[in-house]
Amino acid sequence: MANYIILSDSCMDLNAEERKQFGIEKPVPGSILYPDGADHQADIDWETITFEDFYHRLDKKEVFKTGLPNQYLIGLRAEEAFKEGKDVLAITLSSGMSGTFNAFLIAKNELEEKYPGRKLLVVDSKRYSGGISMLCIAASENRKAGMSIDENYNFLMEKKMCLHQIGILDNLFFLHRSGRISYGKAFFGSMAGVKPMADFSNETGMPCVLGNARGYKASYKVAKEFMSALIEKDPKYLIVVHSIREEQAKEFEKIAKEVAPKAEVIVSRMGQSNGVNVGPGLAVVFFFGEKPVSKDCEEERALLTQILKK
């Protein structure tokens, strides 16, 4: 195995068992400011608060806030690897959503000067959650196959552009509370059973709403057709992520297995670092496409519109 570690931040949503399976380090935690004003490290493996309690508190309008990974912790984790003679391949939350990528770059500049000959290569995932996880798994598979850290970095820089998500976010009132839609849209959208469906923009590194399905049944049909049209040939892994939507996640897992029967489908719980901003109600599947996501998701939006018209 090539002599480098794979590291991310706490927006990468693989649990301890999955990280062990792929030889991925425990992520560098961001900070979570609780409603009582106490500042905590993100509880990556749900050791001090349960997944259910966290999302129920968000649903009850309790205000949590996120902060960047501590600069010292990033440096400490990379330096530990350097001292063992290992390089570091880091994959971070989208720079369009956070300053985490830049924080890793600062650590890179400081440590590579201190440890000549060692490398900290940082990939801006342009994604979050399961998207980061997909890239970490791809990096792990490449490392296992003997790919050097530089080769792996270059691979990921191209592969990330092909990374899709499709699914639903059904808690429109949380979107209103976070300032992303008006109360009227949240109210009437919920009454009508509107399920916004989004992919990710390579240009902004942010979610890009492609259209709205009405009801879960329609959402599942759209997601299956969308995946079938875009997914790469013979994928090895797919990831379903949810924020306390077990039933919906099972449906997306079923869809993923139907579209890619040979793939291993990993179902992940969305962690605190993503969940604070996404809220309860998300269920999505992440997959690599045959080609890069189009500019401003124009082709993906047209595809989804066509599917909705059927």
Side-chain angles (χ1 to χ4, degrees):
M1 181 181 290
N3 199 28
Y4 56 93
I5 68 168
I6 298 168
L7 182 65
S8 187
D9 59 84
S10 52
C11 287
M12 187 269 287
D13 289 326
L14 292 175
N15 64 32
E17 183 178 342
E18 291 155 355
R19 296 194 304 269
K20 182 178 179 180
Q21 176 185 349
F22 295 106
I24 297 167
E25 304 297 309
K26 187 172 183 177
V28 180
S31 67
I32 306 293
L33 185 67
Y34 275 54
D36 63 3
D39 197 355
H40 300 265
Q41 289 186 358
D43 190 358
I44 293 167
D45 292 319
W46 303 106
E47 295 172 322
T48 61
I49 185 172
T50 68
F51 172 73
E52 292 78 11
D53 185 35
F54 175 73
Y55 281 102
H56 286 149
R57 291 179 69 175
L58 285 177
D59 204 22
K60 291 189 294 186
K61 304 183 181 180
E62 292 192 48
V63 178
F64 292 76
K65 296 181 180 179
T66 58
L68 300 180
N70 183 287
Q71 187 68 48
Y72 172 76
L73 289 179
I74 296 172
L76 184 63
R77 295 293 299 281
E79 190 168 28
E80 287 173 355
F82 283 7
K83 287 180 177 179
E84 294 176 0
K86 298 179 181 179
D87 292 321
V88 180
L89 179 57
I91 304 167
T92 74
L93 174 64
S94 170
S95 60
M97 305 176 78
S98 164
T100 301
F101 172 66
N102 286 330
F104 272 78
L105 287 184
I106 292 171
K108 168 186 171 67
N109 294 334
E110 292 178 352
L111 287 171
E112 286 185 347
E113 182 176 345
K114 185 177 178 181
Y115 293 88
R118 295 264 64 91
K119 296 178 181 179
L120 169 54
L121 302 185
V122 189
V123 177
D124 175 1
S125 74
K126 295 286 188 178
R127 302 295 187 267
Y128 73 140
S129 186
I132 307 173
S133 302
M134 287 284 285
L135 292 171
C136 285
I137 290 173
S140 171
E141 293 288 293
N142 290 341
R143 182 181 59 182
K144 184 177 179 181
M147 190 176 285
S148 72
I149 187 171
D150 294 284
E151 291 170 329
N152 213 343
Y153 172 83
N154 292 331
F155 172 90
L156 294 174
M157 291 298 287
E158 292 188 10
K159 192 69 172 177
K160 71 180 185 180
M161 308 300 281
C162 303
L163 186 48
H164 292 275
Q165 74 160 33
I166 192 65
I168 58 170
L169 180 59
D170 66 16
N171 190 328
L172 302 186
F173 288 104
F174 190 89
L175 289 181
H176 162 64
R177 291 199 299 274
S178 61
R180 284 174 280 179
I181 63 173
S182 68
Y183 177 81
K185 284 186 177 181
F187 178 80
F188 290 109
S190 296
M191 290 288 287
V194 169
K195 313 296 181 192
M197 307 192 78
D199 204 340
F200 251 82
S201 166
N202 285 333
E203 287 70 38
T204 66
M206 294 283 287
C208 181
V209 176
L210 306 179
N212 299 313
R214 292 186 180 272
Y216 288 121
K217 186 175 180 180
S219 300
Y220 302 145
K221 178 178 180 294
V222 169
K224 184 175 181 179
E225 291 194 36
F226 186 86
M227 283 187 67
S228 298
L230 298 176
I231 196 167
E232 66 179 348
K233 183 179 180 181
D234 298 326
K236 193 170 181 181
Y237 298 99
L238 302 174
I239 295 181
V240 174
V241 178
H242 73 97
S243 55
I244 202 161
R245 288 297 183 269
E246 299 275 358
E247 182 179 343
Q248 289 76 20
K250 288 178 181 178
E251 288 296 326
F252 281 108
E253 179 185 15
K254 179 181 176 183
I255 289 167
K257 289 180 176 179
E258 289 173 351
V259 173
K262 295 181 180 180
E264 178 181 340
V265 181
I266 296 170
V267 180
S268 298
R269 293 174 164 188
M270 177 166 276
Q272 289 181 313
S273 292
N274 293 302
V276 167
N277 298 301
V278 173
L282 183 80
V284 294
V285 56
F286 291 88
F287 64 96
F288 287 116
E290 278 289 334
K291 61 180 184 178
V293 176
S294 65
K295 185 176 184 297
D296 297 322
C297 296
E298 292 175 356
E299 293 178 16
E300 290 74 19
R301 185 179 291 104
L303 172 62
L304 192 128
T305 300
Q306 181 182 8
I307 294 170
L308 287 170
K309 289 180 177 178
K310 292 182 181 180

